[in-house]
Structures are given as C-alpha cells and as structure tokens.
Amino acid sequence: MTIPDIERAAALFGNRFVTQEVPTDAIPDEGMTAVDAMRLVAEDLALEGDPARNLATFVTTWMEPEAQRIIANNLHRNFIDHAEYPRTAEIEQRCIRMLADLFNAPGETTGARTQGSSEAIMLGALSLKWKWRKRREAAGEPSTHPNLVFGGDVHVVWEKFCRYFDVEPRIVPLQKGKYTIGPDDVAPHIDENTIGVAAVLGTTFTGHKDDIVGINDLLVRTKKERGLDVPLHVDAASGGFVWPFLYPDSKWDFRLEQVRSINVSGHKFGLVYPGVGWLIFRERSDLADDLVFTENYLGKTDATFTLNFSTGSSMVLAQYYNLVRFGRAGYTYIMRGMQKNAQLLAEKLEAMGRFELIGADEETLPLAAFRLAGDEVYDEFDIAWQLSAERGWMVPAYTLPPDAEDITIMRALVKETLSREHVDTLATDIETACATLARKGGADESERRQIVISPGH
Ligand SMILES: Cc1ncc(COP(=O)(O)O)c(C=O)c1O
C-alpha cells in the first residue's frame, strides 16, 4: 500500500499509531484527526497506574456521575471572571462560609479558593508574615528576620514557603517513636520574630495530628506572660474534612483562641477531584489588607487574593455539589465507612504477625500506617515493589523526616473506593507479596532501582 492508502485505511479501520511513532519532541507539521488524537492520548494513558489501586494518594480518585456532569459542563468557565460569572463567585463564597462554619469561626469571616492546600498555605503564611511586619513596624522594631516554627512532620510546602518568601524555617525534628510535635517542642523556638506556628491535622507521614490544643495553650500563655501574640495556622489539608465528622469533640479549629487561619484541600477528603483547596481566616482582620489586589481588567472592579489568576470553575462547583449533596450526615457516613475499613485493614495486618501498626489507636486519618516488626530478608521498600508488580497496588514505603530517618514505614490510604472486599484482597495480596519475597530473598537490585520512595500526596 502507498502512504495515502495507509492513511485512508487507518482512517477507515482504526488507529494510525498502531504502527507509527507518536509525536514527542516537536509539534507535528500536519495535525491529525480528532479520533487519532484522542486514541493517541488514550493509549498513552492505558500504561498509567490505576487510580483505584493508588493507596499512596490522599487525593480523590472517584466522584459521582452527577458531579462529573457538573465538572464536564463547566470546563469552559474561567473562575476568575467574576464579573461574567457572578453565580460561580457566589458559590465560592457559599463554600467559604460553610467551611468557616464547619471550623467553628466565631463570626463573619473571609477566605479564598485556591488550587490546593499548597497555594492556600503560601497565602496563609504570607498573611502571617505581613501581619507580623505591620506589628513590628508599629512598635518601631526591626522586621528583617522573620521565622516560622513547625515540625519535621509537615508537608514540603512549608519549607518551600520559607525558601520562596525569605523566612527562616525553625523545624522541630521528629524522634524515634514520636512523629508529631507538641508545646514543649515548639516553646524554645518562639521569639519576637516568629510570624506564626504551623501545626498539622492529619500528617502526610502517619495521618496523626500535632498536639494542637497544647500548642494553642502555649501560645495563649506566651501572649499573657511575654506579650507576644503568635498566631497558629492549622494545616488541615487532609484532616479538615475528617476530624469534624469522625472526632467532632476534638478541638483543633477556631474553637482554639490562637488558631487564626486554616487550610484544607477540597480535593482530598473534601471528596472533589484535583485541584481545589481552601484558606479560611478566623476573622476578616487576619487577612493582611496589602495582599488583596484590586483590578478591573475583566469588566468590573474585583479584589483578588491568589497566586494564580485564571483557573477552572468546575472544582469549585463540584465542591459546592458535595457540600450540599452529602451534608454533615453524608460526610459522616462516608468518613466512618473509610475509618471502618482502615481499622479492618490494620487488624488484618496485625494478625499477620510481622507488622507493627503506627498509632492505630490515636485520632487519625482513614489509613493504615505500618512497618515490619522484626528482621526479614526483605524490607518495606521490597514489599511496596512486590505488591505493585504482582497486583498493581500502589502502597508507598518511605523513610520519616529527621531525626527519625532510620524508620521506614508503609501507608495505605483507605478511600471511598476501597470496599470491604478490596480490603480483604489487599490483605491477602500483602501476605502473598511477603511470601514471594521470603522465597526469593528480597527484591532484586534491578527491582530496587525502580522503587519510588516518597510518601505520595
Ligand atoms: C499535610 C499536608 N499539607 C499540604 C499538602 C499539600 O496539599 P495540596 O496537594 O492540596 O497542594 C499535603 C498534601 O498531601 C498535605 O498532606
């Protein structure tokens, strides 16, 4: 067949990329049909991991068909065009008000929709820095050496903030057997240049919370005794949609006096696809005025407080859909289901006799965090590899941050899509992977080189 014949045959019967190389380096001179382009992308993605078996991620991997319809129907709406899309802007404000209420804000407040918790944290921490500088200037004190206090259990975004925005990070190291921080860890680091303390609700590493009540009490005492008003920001990226439903009496939010701002990822336990996050202030005055920009490019004077500008509307609308669709009862039901399955998985792991669980009896996210209890011919990285090679489960193994870096743990997130049946299968698959590794004496060097070492996100 000549080239035009081949092209014609491909157009009639199928897919030219069955036999042709795909474009990878330069935009092709000629385009292709929509069907070809669609198949090209779909075939690449066929080699991707299956999100339903990705137990590394905190991020939502399934939404209801009705929510998917809202998302698909609104992809053409730029969220930032508030003048053109005022209802979308109003829906964002409803979400902010609902979350402020969920987090027990004392009165009317403000906040922002963001791309995720990372942007929310950058903005929240910038506000801490700006407010601190204003206080220092008003007191006639220097404002050249700001610092921020947090534990080694935080997500990398906190160190990023410090580096990008020139703030000294004061990081409390973890210890063997202690993977969160409390007031005694924080106290020695606080001084007049501390812009704030960040505490985590549901850490990326083990799912637990810092002693937020203890840190708040310390900061209340610091205010009374030393005259230093140090705000507390709670990174509730994962925990913000879990604690209110699983542990409603546990205080971590605006019920605590020094908690001035909270971030939460809508795309984690808010049960929305990526990317939506939220930053909520305790009071309007906690947002530094200088960070709000006014512009009128889009036809109407508008105030923005974001790092990004243009972005999609769909996930904001999907967040509102979830909030009204599930209500408190629905979120509670879903969170309890995940928690029940996480506990079942933990019990099964414990019953195998070779794993120890990490803080399973504490308040935690719906997950199982575990490590090998004794010496085996294989390690946690080998199990992660074997499990993914044999059954496609993505269960990460990673070392903890300093000074607990010689501790390796594994962590399986239990989300809505991990049914009881899946938990049974996963437990059996872990058992089988361990048996294979015992037989072959651990993972091979070539296999070890392919292991991804990260807590996921
Ligand atoms: C505690 C914590 N903070 C912040 C982040 C960053 O959140 P995002 O991915 O929404 O930007 C994560 C992500 O896993 C996290 O676990």
Side-chain angles (χ1 to χ4, degrees):
M1 278 201 281
T2 62
I3 295 286
D5 284 345
I6 293 171
E7 299 270 316
R8 251 195 312 276
L12 246 184
F13 302 121
N15 172 7
R16 36 194 275 221
F17 296 106
V18 167
T19 52
Q20 283 179 28
E21 285 187 354
V22 303
T24 53
D25 297 321
I27 300 175
D29 291 333
E30 306 293 332
M32 60 184 77
T33 64
V35 171
D36 279 346
M38 185 182 70
R39 289 197 177 164
L40 185 166
V41 175
E43 277 164 15
D44 257 335
L45 295 181
L47 303 177
E48 206 82 275
D50 174 4
R53 274 178 287 175
N54 180 357
L55 310 187
T57 186
F58 292 88
V59 174
T60 302
T61 50
W62 180 80
M63 289 188 76
E64 294 182 321
E66 292 78 4
Q68 295 190 29
R69 218 178 301 157
I70 289 176
I71 290 168
N73 289 347
N74 289 284
L75 292 169
H76 56 338
R77 222 177 282 283
N78 184 0
F79 172 76
I80 207 74
D81 291 356
H82 292 157
E84 285 77 6
Y85 308 129
R87 299 317 296 169
T88 302
E90 158 61 15
I91 285 175
E92 177 214 26
Q93 292 303 311
R94 289 182 195 167
C95 292
I96 289 171
R97 289 194 291 271
M98 287 181 185
L99 290 174
D101 177 60
L102 184 68
F103 300 160
N104 296 294
E108 210 182 294
T109 183
T110 189
R113 167 249 160 248
T114 60
Q115 204 58 30
S117 277
S118 299
E119 188 190 358
I121 286 167
M122 296 275 178
L123 289 170
L126 275 173
S127 199
L128 294 179
K129 185 176 173 185
W130 254 245
K131 298 284 293 184
W132 165 82
R133 193 161 54 202
K134 244 199 171 127
R135 284 198 300 277
R136 297 288 289 167
E137 284 168 0
E141 303 282 356
S143 56
T144 45
H145 290 93
N147 70 68
L148 180 63
V149 180
F150 50 85
D153 56 340
V154 296
H155 188 268
V156 66
V157 61
W158 285 98
E159 283 183 70
K160 268 193 198 168
F161 165 78
C162 289
R163 199 176 300 170
Y164 295 174
F165 293 102
D166 217 7
V167 170
E168 179 203 344
R170 293 197 172 166
I171 307 175
V172 180
L174 305 186
Q175 298 164 33
K176 211 170 162 173
K178 184 171 177 294
Y179 309 131
T180 54
I181 61 162
D184 296 343
D185 306 305
V186 167
H189 298 286
I190 290 176
D191 61 24
E192 67 285 358
N193 288 319
T194 303
I195 66 169
V197 176
V200 190
L201 185 79
T203 75
T204 322
F205 299 97
T206 66
H208 298 105
K209 70 171 164 53
D210 288 332
D211 179 358
I212 300 172
V213 169
I215 295 171
N216 175 72
D217 293 349
L218 166 79
L219 297 180
V220 170
R221 277 200 309 279
T222 306
K223 188 160 64 176
K224 276 200 193 111
E225 292 164 12
R226 293 166 63 187
L228 288 179
D229 187 0
V230 179
L232 179 54
H233 175 100
V234 179
D235 177 354
S238 289
F241 271 104
V242 173
W243 259 258
F245 304 113
L246 289 186
Y247 314 109
D249 298 329
S250 175
K251 290 189 183 157
W252 61 274
D253 54 14
F254 296 124
R255 284 168 290 181
L256 304 176
E257 185 177 328
Q258 288 302 108
V259 175
R260 312 301 307 185
S261 46
I262 296 172
N263 67 276
V264 63
S265 299
H267 56 217
K268 294 193 172 99
F269 292 94
L271 308 177
V272 181
Y273 286 139
V276 63
W278 302 96
L279 172 63
I280 310 290
F281 290 100
R282 180 190 193 86
E283 293 169 15
R284 270 177 195 281
S285 59
D286 288 304
L287 165 59
D289 294 336
D290 302 351
L291 293 174
V292 180
F293 280 77
T294 308
E295 43 67 28
N296 64 355
Y297 321 122
L298 300 171
K300 191 180 151 215
T301 302
D302 198 13
T304 60
F305 172 50
T306 56
L307 294 179
N308 297 304
F309 195 66
S310 297
T311 189
S313 296
S314 289
M315 299 311 162
V316 177
L317 303 176
Q319 180 75 80
Y320 183 64
Y321 168 89
N322 275 359
L323 291 171
V324 297
R325 150 86 177 116
F326 299 136
R328 284 179 183 253
Y331 270 108
T332 304
Y333 176 82
I334 293 167
M335 297 300 151
R336 284 194 185 147
M338 296 183 194
Q339 182 186 43
K340 197 167 175 201
N341 278 347
Q343 284 165 348
L344 179 69
L345 178 61
E347 281 162 25
K348 285 175 178 276
L349 288 164
E350 198 162 40
M352 289 176 203
R354 64 171 76 80
F355 294 115
E356 77 186 40
L357 300 169
I358 312 229
D361 48 356
E362 296 167 34
E363 291 177 11
T364 187
L365 298 174
L367 55 76
F370 55 103
R371 61 192 295 257
L372 285 167
D375 285 340
E376 307 282 350
V377 288
Y378 52 89
D379 63 14
E380 289 86 351
F381 297 110
D382 294 352
I383 300 174
W385 162 260
Q386 195 63 40
L387 194 56
S388 99
E390 281 181 8
R391 302 290 292 170
W393 292 112
M394 290 165 257
V395 178
Y398 48 89
T399 51
L400 291 179
D403 291 335
E405 63 269 58
D406 54 346
I407 305 288
T408 305
I409 69 172
M410 300 188 73
R411 172 196 15 76
L413 259 296
V414 176
K415 299 214 286 284
E416 239 182 316
T417 44
L418 201 79
S419 65
R420 163 72 207 243
E421 171 64 18
H422 287 164
V423 170
D424 291 344
T425 307
L426 173 63
T428 309
D429 292 344
I430 292 174
E431 186 87 83
T432 308
C434 291
T436 310
L437 287 165
R439 254 195 328 273
K440 70 180 193 185
D444 187 74
E445 264 319 303
S446 63
E447 294 171 335
R448 283 203 174 128
R449 278 197 293 277
Q450 298 180 59
I451 295 172
V452 179
I453 301 171
S454 128
H457 49 79

